[in-house]
């Protein structure tokens, strides 16, 4: 059974540009969450989507946004990139409400902003 | 606000040793607790999921316990091997339906 697939694996962008990251969850999983990992702040929650609706949002500026499609695939967009947005972005999928099933993570997208 | 702390921050042990990684959280109103492993530059691999009604879970050489009342979890690794070298992350699933992570324990097992 295929795992969580994130594309692309690596990205280099220039300050001020925007970027879109993609996540395909495990088949049948309806919950997709996004996390940012940096050496200084560790792993921080960005947002969660369930059945195409954003169910929860972390404490990030409005430049970070996302969406989920009817097939549960999710995209995350960051506009007006800043140097501090350089990070490993991880996507996690879960079967349903996540309360009893736990999360499975993808391999991540390494974003470098120059 | 839920906070998760992991002790120690780093650990270096000789191969074959049994070891314990500690995790504590400030709000006992959690749904589940999940232990992950992360190799350098890679994503997270789930090791064990403990539901809030459970006290422990076992998988191979790994055993994780959960004491909600005291806000603690431990991950026990038996007979450590060099391949166990990685960062181990503890995360609680809180009422906001999100994972709150600790900073991790960097484990090095020397051959």
């Amino acid at each position: 059974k295929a795992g969580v697939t994130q594309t692309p694996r690596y990205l280099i962008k220039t300050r001020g540009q925007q970027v879109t990251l993609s996540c395909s969850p495990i088949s049948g999983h309806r919950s997709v969450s996004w996390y940012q990992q940096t050496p200084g702040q560790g792993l921080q929650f960005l947002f969660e989507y369930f059945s195409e609706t954003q169910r929860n949002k972390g404490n990030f500026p409005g430049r970070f946004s996302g969406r989920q499609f009817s097939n549960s695939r999710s995209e995350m967009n960051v506009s007006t990139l800043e140097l501090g947005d350089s990070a490993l972005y991880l996507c996690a999928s879960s079967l349903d409400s996540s309360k009893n099933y736990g999360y499975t993570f993808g391999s991540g997208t390494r974003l470098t902003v120059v | 606000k839920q906070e998760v702390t992991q002790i120690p921050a780093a650990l270096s042990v000789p191969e074959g040793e049994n070891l314990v990684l500690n995790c504590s959280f400030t709000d006992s109103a959690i749904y589940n607790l999940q232990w992950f492993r992360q190799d350098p530059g890679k994503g997270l691999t789930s090791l064990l999921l403990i539901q809030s009604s459970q006290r422990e879970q076992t998988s191979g050489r790994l055993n994780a316990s959960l004491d909600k009342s005291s806000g603690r979890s431990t991950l026990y690794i038996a007979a450590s091997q060099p391949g166990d070298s990685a960062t181990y992350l503890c995360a609680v699933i809180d009422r906001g339906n999100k994972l709150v992570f600790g900073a991790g324990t960097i484990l090095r097992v020397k051959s």
Side-chain angles (χ1 to χ4, degrees):
Chain A
K1 154 171 153 176
V4 179
T5 303
Q6 290 189 246
T7 57
R9 289 296 310 277
Y10 302 93
L11 268 177
I12 300 176
K13 290 287 188 179
T14 304
R15 271 182 301 173
Q17 287 187 313
Q18 76 163 16
V19 67
T20 299
L21 313 182
S22 178
C23 172
S24 293
I26 292 172
S27 178
H29 284 197
R30 296 162 65 192
S31 169
V32 175
S33 303
W34 289 88
Y35 291 81
Q36 181 196 66
Q37 186 177 32
T38 59
Q41 299 296 319
L43 276 150
Q44 294 186 287
F45 172 75
L46 281 156
F47 28 67
E48 185 216 5
Y49 286 87
F50 181 79
S51 293
E52 301 180 65
T53 300
Q54 187 181 86
R55 192 158 62 173
N56 198 1
K57 189 177 190 306
N59 190 26
F60 277 81
R63 299 185 297 107
F64 292 81
S65 63
R67 59 178 175 169
Q68 187 179 33
F69 301 94
S70 59
N71 62 357
S72 294
R73 188 178 72 87
S74 176
E75 288 182 347
M76 190 191 93
N77 185 75
V78 187
S79 63
T80 318
L81 283 166
E82 301 177 359
L83 294 178
D85 297 334
S86 294
L88 180 65
Y89 290 88
L90 292 162
C91 164
S93 80
S94 184
L95 187 60
D96 194 343
S97 66
S98 307
K99 293 183 177 65
N100 293 312
Y101 296 105
Y103 291 82
T104 301
F105 278 80
S107 298
T109 294
R110 171 75 62 185
L111 172 64
T112 302
V113 182
V114 298
Chain B
K1 177 188 169 189
Q2 178 75 265
E3 292 182 0
V4 179
T5 303
Q6 291 188 245
I7 295 173
L11 185 61
S12 182
V13 300
E15 182 177 3
E17 271 205 9
N18 302 323
L19 53 99
V20 175
L21 308 183
N22 296 292
C23 171
S24 61
F25 46 94
T26 54
D27 185 352
S28 62
I30 65 170
Y31 286 118
N32 300 318
L33 185 144
Q34 199 164 357
W35 282 92
F36 295 91
R37 165 189 172 138
Q38 186 174 34
D39 293 288
K42 301 293 179 62
L44 275 59
T45 300
S46 179
L47 297 173
L48 290 164
L49 170 69
I50 310 176
Q51 297 179 10
S52 60
S53 59
Q54 297 176 318
R55 298 281 295 184
E56 67 177 316
Q57 278 286 346
T58 298
S59 177
R61 295 183 293 108
L62 305 179
N63 175 276
S65 67
L66 173 63
D67 184 343
K68 274 184 60 175
S69 60
S70 67
R72 294 179 188 276
S73 176
T74 60
L75 178 66
Y76 176 83
I77 303 177
S80 58
Q81 303 169 357
D84 294 331
S85 299
T87 297
Y88 289 79
L89 293 154
C90 166
V92 298
I93 301 171
D94 72 0
R95 286 174 288 185
N97 212 37
K98 66 181 186 293
L99 287 162
V100 180
F101 284 89
T105 294
I106 301 172
L107 173 65
R108 180 185 171 211
V109 181
K110 298 171 287 186
S111 56

